Amino acid sequence: MARMIAIYKTPEDKEAFDKHYLEVHIPLAKKLPGLIKYDVSLNPIMSTTGHSETYLIGTLHFETLDAIKEAFASETGKACAADRKILAPDNDKIQIYLFDIKEV
């Protein structure tokens, strides 16, 4: 299995962010080819390391890292990447990680 995690910092306009994320971004991302599951964090997000700016964490589940790459090379993937720029226009407002996982 593989994951993509997007960690969004607190937006200036939370209401506008939430509306766009829930009504536009999620429905678009759920059309990604190969997507198995999509989940998001609930508020509040608590940090044990003092990070207080995290607002939302989205986790996308895929079969493999290659499946993630293929999904984002698709037209839907390109649209998702462009839409993400609406939610977090500056890269310092988001962290995105792609990785394979194993159970331990």
Side-chain angles (χ1 to χ4, degrees):
M1 297 296 286
R3 302 286 184 272
M4 174 182 174
I5 293 184
I7 304 168
Y8 291 89
K9 289 186 178 180
T10 304
E12 290 181 26
D13 185 340
K14 293 178 187 178
E15 188 174 311
F17 178 96
D18 291 347
K19 182 173 177 52
H20 188 90
Y21 192 84
L22 294 171
E23 295 178 9
V24 178
H25 195 72
I26 289 175
L28 178 61
K30 288 181 98 176
K31 295 177 184 174
L32 285 165
L35 180 69
I36 296 170
K37 184 170 94 170
Y38 188 150
D39 52 57
V40 297
S41 59
L42 298 174
N43 285 321
I45 297 172
M46 295 178 280
S47 171
T48 61
T49 56
H51 296 90
S52 61
E53 292 187 5
T54 302
Y55 182 70
L56 184 136
I57 302 170
T59 306
L60 288 78
H61 303 247
F62 290 86
E63 193 62 42
T64 63
L65 196 53
D66 284 338
I68 296 173
K69 293 175 187 175
E70 290 173 20
F72 282 91
S74 72
E75 289 305 313
T76 301
K78 291 173 186 173
C80 284
D83 188 66
R84 190 281 296 172
K85 293 279 190 180
I86 294 169
L87 293 164
D90 301 319
N91 284 341
D92 64 338
K93 298 290 185 186
I94 189 171
Q95 296 175 15
I96 299 174
Y97 301 96
L98 311 175
F99 54 90
D100 283 315
I101 65 163
K102 69 176 181 176
E103 285 193 37
V104 293

